[in-house]
Amino acid sequence: ITAMAVATATSPGLFAQKSAPEKSIVRVNATLQDYSFLRPWEKGAPTPRRGLGAVLEGNRVLITAEMCVNSTYLELEHPSSGARVTARIKGIDYEANLAVLEPADTDSKVFEGLEPLSLDESVVAGEKLNVWQVEDNGDGVSTDVDVLRIDVGRYFIPGSIFLLYQVKGSLQARTNSFTLPVVKNGKLVGMLLSYSSKEQTASVLPAPVISAFLADLADGEYEGFPNLGISFAQTLDETFREFTGIGDREGGIFVRETGKGSSAEKAGIKEGDVILSIGDQPIDSRGNYNHPKYGKLSFSHLVRGGAKVGETIKLDLIREGKPLTVEVSLSRKRPEEFLI
């Protein structure tokens, strides 16, 4: 379920740190109209959606891209005064599920008295974070959540895998709770993606991904996050390992297929290759590697978590029983390049 479906829980206390929620977030109001897949020339009925955006330097607002899907109108609203202004999209990435909005009118009073948030990428498992919300009267509310683990998973688009914070805590129901900022000591550490009222667990889009998105957007030419472009199989079975020619070597994943026009295909990686390491990081039989800060993570984070489009990474392979090293120039397959 999306964050909009947050269930009523015990009331958390008001935020008592130096930076209060109502001082660093704005309400984001969106009007959406979905397209009809049966009649593509038609649209559905307008649907409202409300969330909270994090205020950034330069009167910009960070929200999830899901807030903007099929939007016909976007609006920023001051959490206390109620001042409003039409918003426009400064940058958006549906794969990373992030968007930056800016006011259409630079003379707007929406940002009066608000303080921009800085990013904090230091979160590790076991820490306590705060999820920010706003009451109807404009008062800020903060709920404590505990970081259970740091993992890799899907954000919004199927097949789009990124870093995730998995957290646990009880959240209140709010009318503007589709997107919620998550903070630590008054600094932005992520955006809430989803919440399960039954399990009282949530997924958080973390600051390292946000930081990479904003840095890429800064020069006005957004390139996005690179992708290796393979499907793979684990190599846990001894008979399968013998078939692939791995022998006594440790770890490795079997390349089942390379995507057309992908980084892997362009580099000459073939079906049947076994990837032993990426960028000198050994890959185990399940497709994980040991991250120095987060522990075991999917190898996909080596590509999407630190590398940029245009950079080159080294892959150590086994092909037909023989070792091989391949240099892969990382690229991103743009949405318009897909058949669907």
Side-chain angles (χ1 to χ4, degrees), residues 7-69:
T8 303
T10 54
S11 177
L14 288 177
F15 196 69
Q17 296 184 12
K18 291 182 179 180
S19 182
E22 66 271 23
K23 292 294 185 182
S24 297
I25 56 180
V26 297
R27 289 190 175 100
V28 179
N29 306 316
T31 301
L32 317 174
Q33 276 190 281
D34 292 336
Y35 287 88
S36 169
F37 282 92
L38 295 178
R39 298 181 177 87
W41 55 90
E42 293 183 0
K43 284 187 175 184
T47 304
R49 180 173 288 175
R50 302 192 76 190
L52 296 177
V55 177
L56 304 176
E57 289 283 354
N59 288 348
R60 299 175 300 157
V61 176
L62 180 74
I63 60 170
T64 59
E66 200 172 355
M67 273 288 299
C68 304
V69 171

Side-chain angles (χ1 to χ4, degrees), residues 56 60-63 88-92 98-102 213-214 217:
L56 304 176
R60 299 175 300 157
V61 176
L62 180 74
I63 60 170
R88 58 189 174 207
I89 299 172
K90 177 70 173 177
I92 192 166
L98 286 169
V100 170
L101 304 183
E102 61 182 8
F213 168 72
L214 295 177
L217 195 62

Side-chain angles (χ1 to χ4, degrees), residues 174-292:
R174 287 293 183 275
T175 56
N176 44 227
S177 60
F178 189 85
T179 297
L180 300 175
V182 182
V183 301
K184 170 188 168 185
N185 298 326
K187 293 186 177 181
L188 184 68
V189 296
M191 302 294 287
L192 195 78
L193 289 177
S194 63
Y195 176 73
S196 168
S197 58
K198 181 179 180 180
E199 302 293 336
Q200 293 190 353
T201 57
S203 297
V204 176
L205 193 163
V209 177
I210 296 172
S211 179
F213 168 72
L214 295 177
D216 193 349
L217 195 62
D219 63 1
E221 294 183 9
Y222 188 74
E223 294 183 302
F225 293 81
N227 198 345
L228 189 58
I230 66 168
S231 63
F232 74 97
Q234 298 179 347
T235 59
L236 298 170
D237 183 78
E238 289 299 326
T239 303
F240 184 52
R241 292 180 64 83
E242 183 178 348
F243 166 76
T244 58
I246 297 176
D248 296 331
R249 299 177 180 86
E250 294 184 2
I253 54 173
F254 181 80
V255 178
R256 298 174 58 184
E257 188 179 1
T258 58
K260 184 175 178 58
S262 66
S263 305
E265 186 194 53
K266 292 175 181 177
I269 295 175
K270 301 178 180 179
E271 177 185 337
D273 287 348
V274 177
I275 300 175
L276 297 178
S277 69
I278 299 177
D280 294 325
Q281 290 284 351
I283 309 300
D284 68 20
S285 301
R286 289 182 169 85
N288 299 320
Y289 78 103
N290 284 312
H291 190 283

Side-chain angles (χ1 to χ4, degrees), residues 141-163:
V141 175
S142 178
T143 305
D144 291 344
V145 294
D146 298 309
V147 182
L148 298 177
R149 65 184 181 277
I150 297 175
D151 205 349
V152 173
R154 191 184 75 135
Y155 281 7
F156 174 44
I157 295 178
S160 184
I161 308 298
F162 288 91
L163 193 69

Side-chain angles (χ1 to χ4, degrees), residues 42-177:
E42 293 183 0
K43 284 187 175 184
T47 304
R49 180 173 288 175
R50 302 192 76 190
L52 296 177
V55 177
L56 304 176
E57 289 283 354
N59 288 348
R60 299 175 300 157
V61 176
L62 180 74
I63 60 170
T64 59
E66 200 172 355
M67 273 288 299
C68 304
V69 171
N70 297 327
S71 60
T72 56
Y73 182 71
L74 293 167
E75 180 183 70
L76 305 177
E77 178 184 344
H78 193 287
S80 300
S81 70
R84 302 187 182 198
V85 65
T86 301
R88 58 189 174 207
I89 299 172
K90 177 70 173 177
I92 192 166
D93 186 334
Y94 288 110
E95 289 182 307
N97 200 3
L98 286 169
V100 170
L101 304 183
E102 61 182 8
D105 181 4
T106 55
D107 295 328
S108 167
K109 297 182 179 180
V110 165
F111 294 95
E112 280 190 356
L114 300 183
E115 303 168 359
L117 288 166
S118 57
L119 288 172
D120 183 350
E121 301 182 30
S122 67
V123 173
V124 294
E127 288 193 301
K128 193 176 293 292
L129 308 177
N130 308 109
V131 179
W132 278 359
Q133 294 173 278
V134 173
E135 299 278 11
D136 290 339
N137 62 7
D139 289 340
V141 175
S142 178
T143 305
D144 291 344
V145 294
D146 298 309
V147 182
L148 298 177
R149 65 184 181 277
I150 297 175
D151 205 349
V152 173
R154 191 184 75 135
Y155 281 7
F156 174 44
I157 295 178
S160 184
I161 308 298
F162 288 91
L163 193 69
L164 280 173
Y165 297 159
Q166 302 290 351
V167 303
K168 186 175 182 65
S170 299
L171 299 179
Q172 288 185 334
R174 287 293 183 275
T175 56
N176 44 227
S177 60

